[in-house]
Amino acid sequence: MKRIHVVEDLCNGCRLCETFCSSLTNGVFDPAQARIRVLKVPGEERDIPLVDCSGRCIRPLYEDGRPTCVAVCPTGALFYAELEEAMARRLDLELARREHPLFKVIAPWKWPLPWRRPGAEKAAPGEGG
Amino acid sequence: MAVREAREQVILWVDLSDGSVRREALPEEWTRMYLGARCVHARLLFDHVGPQTDPLGPDNVLFLGTGPMDGLPVGMGRMSVACKSPRRTVAEGSFGGFFGPEMRRAGVDYLAIRGQADHPVYLYIEDGRVEIRDARHLWGLKTHETDAALRRELGAEVQLRYIGPAGENLVHASPIFGNLNQSGGRAGCGEVMGSKRLKAIAVRGTGGLRVADYDAFLEAYKAFRERLDLATSRDPWTPVWSTYGAPVLARLFADMGNLMTRNAQEMGWPEDKAARISCEPYLERYVTKAKACFGCPWPACQKLYEIPSGRWQGLKGGNYWAGQPVVFGSLLDNDDLDLVLVLSALCNQYGLDIFHVGYTLAWAMECVERGILTRADTDGLDLRFGCPDKEGLVDLVRKIALREGFGALLALGCAEAAKVVGKGSERYCLAVKGQELEGIAQRNMYMVALGIAVSEVGPDHTRWYPPYPCNPNLVSREELAALGVDLDLRLAFQGRNPQEKGKLLRWFTISRGVVESLPGCVFLVRDTLGLDMRPWWRLFTAATGLEMDYEEFLLPGERVVNLERAFIVREGFRREDDHPPLRMQLEDVPGFGYPRLAPEVFEPMLDEYYQANGWSLRTSVPRRATLERLGLKDVADALAAAGVEVEP
């Protein structure tokens, strides 16, 4: 079963997921109504997304099967996948981090410029989780 | 909880002298005429603060305000802060973070703070209710300590804006801070906040925001996002900028003769030095995590860092942009990234402006080099380019914020300090209208020279950012003409060709004025969003339900530029004040063959800019016909009544 997976340390705390999600039922932007919330730890040091949702969006922003929160996440901290695919993605991230510090701040599957990624031969277009 | 319409705008007038609070709805036609944030502030400032107002007295008004787009996932949490600067210019700046959206959710869009408290206070706003609370326990705390103390007191969810010790001590150019490492209003908003004995503003809101046409808003968002998403943006800078970040420029600038080195005596720097303070070692060794402002489509424009080893191990900071590598790197001839990041972090902690500190240190170093200042003046500190005494330099930042010893001189800012010292030291001060420069060079980029010279707030690249085309091939001349932009882009973006610079700058200041009034982020005018404003326009009309055509949507940009200009000409600024620092006018760039900004190069650009704006070529005062075309006849009348010569 596909579900929304969270990579906590990639979350930059922008609250796009929360803000969009909250508006999908009645058009009102109000984070308290969202099914995904971002916990912002005092001192700015951590931002932790907490999900209470199956990923079947009431009204997805894009017609491509991605939940809205996943589609709007800029860093790749959220992705929507089956368990096997989720494991492959996390492994991809961990290995990418060994070769380049860029992947401290963005997921490799979100990075659009292949020539800036050492060892990569082809583009990994930001299909976005 | 309470749901508000996105177009509603409410202002709270708070008087710290008598403790009164007055709530007022902004007239709905103001949203049409001024949009929000920066343009509303320009109007309010012109109406409520004048030449007779003492900038550090009770009558100066400190405005903090948002606008119709804030709290929606396109506003980037931007907000504007504004007051009259102690340099008599407009002190207006913008910052992001999460405070703006929280204000909107609390049912307050603008705070207008006047008066002066008799002891330190902070404001607490919770869902529209305002309390003035005792802040004696916070006075003297650094910014991160204030943040922690208030979150303990009020809860983790509260959003905060505060000043550090520098603002309390009325140190030159101190800004207001928030979310630890973000600041706004470097033309002196922190000084003015300190003069009111207002340590902090805390806000908590639980309401929601409704847009007028949700379906249209979502469609407009998709078009907007397409321009900025890493996967779809046609601007090659988008991914680089939003992850590696702007310090990539240190290396690029060194090659181009654009890197101000040793107080801009030179404009190049050895490649290995520039590489040592560039974005790669920063990302590799120091960065701990990415941060974003509210609702930003970019992954990692901001980052947190920690010094990994050595004398300052464990010191935490955030945000290393294009400015820090210049002001604490090349300008001081320092290639130790530890020291650059420590100085930046301490400026944030003490509430100092990095540009003030960097340029004033560089000025002092040049004065030492030339024998104008000696060790007797610097409290014994070995203040030379190359930064031989790192610990002493780090301690000097503290002394500037607390106005101790030699720090008290530097706390005046470069221009005032040069007046005190005299002996020709004014020649080495890199400031315009009393405000220090920023990171971008001028003798190789004429639009930057012009932009820095004419700015109503003093040097501020966000008024016309970025200084080069996003990608000129994305918009044809025909499309530009259809969008109302009468420009030859090819000529306009030739760095050392004075042609078209005035017209280009006019378009940049107007369009960025619009973005900052929505409010949105001027860092996001990527792809074609800086030339084709229609995506912003569609978002705004969908959110507010106001029917305006595209031309009308751009007018507030013109209004903000004219209102701010009207403010400073009423304060006495004229054409002769719109010039780059002496060094740029008198010295060629060594080694690169770029000549100085001689009058025959600079004056025609100034003429073109004033002409394009409809301002007097002789005085820079907006013409009556210009102001009347913008619906600002009352501004022309007010200028005339104040004794300013307004040409027809």
Side-chain angles (χ1 to χ4, degrees):
Chain A
M1 189 186 70
K2 277 193 170 186
R3 55 173 282 261
I4 297 166
H5 295 268
V6 176
V7 187
E8 261 182 33
D9 60 3
L10 276 179
C11 177
N12 67 13
C14 75
R15 306 200 119 144
L16 265 178
C17 52
E18 186 179 88
T19 308
F20 262 109
C21 176
S22 73
S23 73
L24 297 174
T25 40
N26 60 4
V28 174
F29 293 91
D30 175 8
Q33 307 304 317
R35 304 298 299 273
I36 178 167
R37 297 296 304 276
V38 181
L39 177 68
K40 297 182 81 78
V41 180
E44 305 284 326
E45 285 172 19
R46 297 190 73 196
D47 301 290
I48 305 173
L50 297 163
V51 188
D52 175 22
C53 181
S54 64
R56 284 186 289 278
C57 233
I58 295 162
R59 175 177 179 170
L61 188 59
Y62 298 98
E63 306 288 325
D64 57 6
R66 285 179 297 165
T68 303
C69 57
V70 171
V72 296
C73 177
T75 63
L78 302 175
F79 63 92
Y80 187 58
E82 304 275 354
L83 186 59
E84 282 300 314
E85 194 196 341
M87 292 195 46
R89 287 217 160 176
R90 288 302 298 259
L91 184 63
D92 189 22
L93 170 67
E94 296 303 324
L95 295 179
R97 278 182 178 177
R98 284 189 190 170
E99 74 188 31
H100 205 288
L102 181 64
F103 304 110
K104 285 180 187 176
V105 297
I106 188 172
W109 55 86
K110 277 282 190 180
W111 182 244
L113 305 180
W115 62 90
R116 300 294 301 196
R117 189 182 162 190
E121 284 171 16
K122 63 180 178 59
E127 81 277 20
Chain B
M1 275 312 298
V3 174
R4 305 174 67 206
E5 302 300 327
R7 69 171 164 275
E8 287 175 34
Q9 302 208 69
V10 169
I11 181 166
L12 287 185
W13 290 86
V14 179
D15 191 320
L16 295 177
S17 295
D18 63 15
S20 65
V21 177
R22 185 165 52 86
R23 188 187 176 86
E24 201 183 294
L26 278 195
E28 195 159 300
E29 64 267 23
W30 274 43
T31 307
R32 181 181 285 279
M33 234 181 131
Y34 306 113
L35 306 179
R38 180 175 156 202
C39 193
V40 165
H41 282 169
R43 178 76 238 193
L44 290 170
L45 205 58
F46 186 83
D47 290 349
H48 294 276
V49 178
Q52 73 291 348
T53 310
D54 172 7
L56 297 176
D59 293 337
N60 199 358
V61 189
L62 177 64
F63 295 99
L64 292 93
T66 64
M69 303 300 272
D70 222 354
L72 304 177
V74 289
M76 315 317 156
R78 298 310 297 188
M79 60 182 290
S80 161
V81 289
C83 59
K84 177 174 169 178
S85 163
R87 267 70 61 197
R88 298 181 296 115
T89 53
V90 176
E92 195 277 342
S94 157
F95 50 163
F98 295 83
F99 189 92
E102 198 74 15
M103 269 175 87
R104 296 274 284 160
R105 296 185 66 208
V108 179
D109 306 289
Y110 299 88
L111 282 169
I113 302 164
R114 53 184 3 150
Q116 234 158 19
D118 55 15
H119 65 271
V121 295
Y122 76 88
L123 285 185
Y124 181 57
I125 301 162
E126 188 179 352
D127 283 333
R129 292 186 310 278
V130 186
E131 279 177 57
I132 301 172
R133 293 185 171 182
D134 195 339
R136 277 178 278 217
H137 62 301
L138 302 171
W139 204 249
L141 293 187
K142 291 181 230 172
T143 53
H144 64 300
E145 295 164 344
T146 310
D147 193 285
L150 280 171
R151 283 184 200 278
R152 272 197 304 274
E153 211 164 300
L154 305 168
E157 288 281 276
V158 73
Q159 285 300 326
L160 303 163
R161 289 296 180 251
Y162 33 74
I163 51 172
E168 296 172 14
N169 296 328
L170 314 183
V171 170
H172 170 81
S174 50
I176 300 173
F177 281 74
N179 299 103
L180 296 189
N181 301 302
Q182 290 185 297
S183 69
R186 69 179 271 264
C189 292
E191 287 167 81
V192 170
M193 191 159 154
S195 76
K196 298 189 176 304
R197 297 192 187 83
L198 179 63
K199 177 67 178 176
I201 302 163
V203 62
R204 181 76 184 102
T206 57
L209 289 166
R210 180 170 29 226
V211 295
D213 184 342
Y214 185 61
D215 291 334
F217 183 82
L218 291 187
E219 285 313 305
Y221 179 78
K222 285 189 211 171
F224 169 78
R225 177 73 185 237
E226 196 183 306
R227 296 274 174 273
L228 295 168
D229 198 282
L230 268 55
T232 49
S233 174
R234 296 165 299 168
D235 185 335
W237 278 110
T238 300
V240 178
W241 225 236
S242 61
T243 53
Y244 284 91
V248 68
L249 287 180
R251 253 184 14 222
L252 196 65
F253 277 4
D255 287 345
M256 297 162 68
N258 278 0
L259 191 63
M260 291 187 254
T261 306
R262 297 164 59 86
N263 201 29
Q265 296 179 81
E266 295 152 29
M267 298 299 291
W269 214 29
E271 166 72 26
D272 57 329
K273 284 190 172 184
R276 277 199 279 276
I277 62 163
S278 187
C279 55
E280 291 90 348
Y282 174 57
L283 202 56
E284 174 95 45
R285 291 185 47 223
Y286 301 88
V287 167
T288 53
K289 108 185 259 307
K291 293 297 285 185
C293 295
F294 178 87
C296 183
W298 279 4
C301 164
Q302 309 172 58
K303 294 176 245 340
L304 296 183
Y305 63 78
E306 185 174 336
I307 308 294
S309 60
R311 164 70 182 81
W312 294 289
Q313 184 176 5
L315 186 79
K316 289 173 182 171
N319 297 346
Y320 184 53
W321 275 310
Q324 290 90 339
V326 177
V327 291
F328 297 134
S330 59
L331 207 61
L332 311 181
D333 197 10
N334 163 47
D335 63 350
D336 177 355
L337 187 49
D338 268 18
L339 183 60
V340 175
L341 294 174
V342 168
L343 292 172
S344 309
L346 289 182
C347 281
N348 288 351
Q349 293 186 2
Y350 282 105
L352 289 160
D353 172 40
I354 57 160
F355 296 106
H356 153 226
V357 174
Y359 279 97
T360 309
L361 286 175
W363 164 81
M365 285 177 182
E366 187 167 352
C367 287
V368 168
E369 198 171 67
R370 293 176 184 276
I372 297 172
L373 291 173
T374 66
R375 273 206 182 191
D377 302 305
T378 64
D379 303 341
L381 174 67
D382 184 7
L383 195 65
R384 277 182 294 147
F385 292 113
C387 304
D389 185 351
K390 291 177 186 175
E391 305 238 354
L393 206 56
V394 166
D395 193 48
L396 185 52
V397 171
R398 180 189 64 81
K399 287 165 80 172
I400 294 172
L402 303 182
R403 288 181 176 267
E404 276 180 30
F406 182 53
L409 176 72
L410 303 189
L412 299 172
C414 183
E416 282 302 308
K419 275 186 208 158
V420 172
V421 170
K423 300 180 196 167
S425 65
E426 296 90 342
R427 167 83 183 264
Y428 315 116
C429 168
L430 301 181
V432 179
K433 301 187 179 81
Q435 183 85 22
E436 290 79 6
L437 294 185
E438 296 181 321
I440 313 178
Q442 292 143 63
R443 284 164 288 184
N444 189 20
M445 285 185 174
Y446 285 179
M447 201 210 70
V448 176
L450 185 63
I452 276 172
V454 301
S455 165
E456 286 79 13
V457 296
D460 182 347
H461 68 292
T462 63
R463 306 272 138 169
W464 39 259
Y465 182 86
Y468 38 77
C470 295
N471 182 345
N473 300 325
L474 293 179
V475 189
S476 68
R477 182 116 202 223
E478 292 70 38
E479 281 176 282
L480 274 183
L483 292 167
V485 187
D486 172 27
L487 270 177
D488 183 336
L489 277 190
R490 206 177 42 83
L491 274 181
F493 287 114
Q494 283 173 2
R496 291 186 307 285
N497 179 347
Q499 285 175 287
E500 294 282 285
K501 294 301 175 289
K503 279 155 71 184
L504 175 68
L505 185 69
R506 173 176 181 268
W507 166 253
F508 271 13
T509 51
I510 289 172
S511 55
R512 276 48 168 177
V514 170
V515 171
E516 290 199 315
S517 300
L518 296 171
C521 178
V522 290
F523 230 46
L524 295 183
V525 293
R526 292 285 155 190
D527 199 294
T528 53
L529 287 177
L531 292 168
D532 177 0
M533 304 285 286
R534 287 174 302 184
W536 301 102
W537 167 57
R538 293 195 184 101
L539 282 164
F540 182 80
T541 50
T544 59
L546 290 179
E547 280 181 28
M548 6 173 34
D549 59 30
Y550 182 61
E551 252 171 67
E552 189 184 359
F553 175 70
L554 297 178
L555 285 177
E558 268 193 85
R559 290 192 184 104
V560 70
V561 176
N562 278 277
L563 282 163
E564 289 177 351
R565 174 59 53 167
F567 184 93
I568 69 163
V569 296
R570 197 175 56 180
E571 295 288 333
F573 289 92
R574 291 293 183 271
R575 178 177 177 131
E576 52 273 24
D577 300 298
D578 284 354
H579 285 81
L582 284 175
R583 167 152 281 154
M584 314 321 180
Q585 297 184 48
L586 299 174
E587 297 175 21
D588 301 335
V589 174
F592 287 89
Y594 308 150
R596 67 206 167 91
L597 293 165
E600 58 271 25
V601 168
F602 192 78
E603 299 303 327
M605 291 200 291
L606 212 47
D607 283 344
E608 189 189 303
Y609 179 70
Y610 292 165
Q611 180 81 45
N613 270 327
W615 296 352
S616 159
L617 296 193
R618 188 168 48 83
T619 62
S620 85
V621 175
R623 292 174 177 277
R624 177 169 285 278
T626 305
L627 293 171
E628 288 184 358
R629 178 175 62 79
L630 296 171
L632 301 174
K633 178 179 179 298
D634 61 319
V635 172
D637 295 342
L639 284 181
V644 177
E645 184 195 347
V646 184
E647 294 176 16

